[in-house]
Amino acid sequence: TQLLEQSPQFLSIQEGENLTVYCNSSSVFSSLQWYRQEPGEGPVLLVTVVTGGEVKKLKRLTFQFGDARKDSSLHITAAQTGDTGLYLCAGGGAWSGGGADGLTFGKGTHLIIQP
Amino acid sequence: DAGVTQSPTHLIKTRGQQVTLRCSPKSGHDTVSWYQQALGQGPQFIFQYYEEEERQRGNFPDRFSGHQFPNYSSELNVNALLLGDSALYLCASSLVPGGATEAFFGQGTRLTVV
């Protein structure tokens, strides 16, 4: 069974601060996706990273895929109240254990940005 | 361009009943996956449909079944509902079967079993 562990589970910071959330696994994934989910809504795709060591920037958000394709991080600079939400990482095409089993999600990081 | 649409948005059922949830994929997508998201958890993969066949399945009992139609829309059926089946059921569509591609999610169907 492939597992993705996200940390921290909960994070509450002040507007303007920086933060990093992590996504780690013992499995290798062919791609890693980050989603943001609002209460009662479906996850919204933020970014997909596919190459080991890849770094992608989306305005104030920076995503990194580990060299070994087992881990990823999301860094937010100068957080805003609109960044509040559940951030989910999801691994695609796991190679260990044989075959792809859809997307494997972590439990998510609940992020609250206080004004 | 319509995204992924799911119906109904909310549903209340009694233990032992059966339920059918529906999903229309994003325009141009041919692969539909279903996920179950319990409160406070990340989504868990149920199964994936491509070319009207179940291609992959997660660790869910046979009470969970599905169907894909020629227009790529899909249904999720759950028989003999249990209290533990209460969750947000998410449908995701993509272009390529398998996990290594971008998936776009609908808003989900909130199922409550009483």
Side-chain angles (χ1 to χ4, degrees), chain B residues 61-97:
Chain B
D62 292 344
R63 297 187 297 110
F64 290 76
S65 64
H67 189 77
Q68 186 179 35
F69 299 94
N71 67 353
Y72 308 126
S73 66
S74 177
E75 287 181 351
L76 163 66
N77 301 293
V78 186
N79 294 322
L81 284 166
L82 304 173
L83 295 180
D85 295 331
S86 295
L88 182 68
Y89 287 84
L90 295 162
C91 168
S93 74
S94 55
L95 261 178
V96 177

Side-chain angles (χ1 to χ4, degrees), chain A residues 47-69:
Chain A
V47 78
T48 300
V49 285
V50 297
T51 306
E54 182 177 3
V55 176
K56 277 193 175 178
K57 291 194 175 184
L58 189 67
K59 295 183 181 178
R60 295 176 294 102
L61 278 58
T62 302
F63 304 86
Q64 186 162 10
F65 201 11
D67 290 340
R69 294 201 237 193

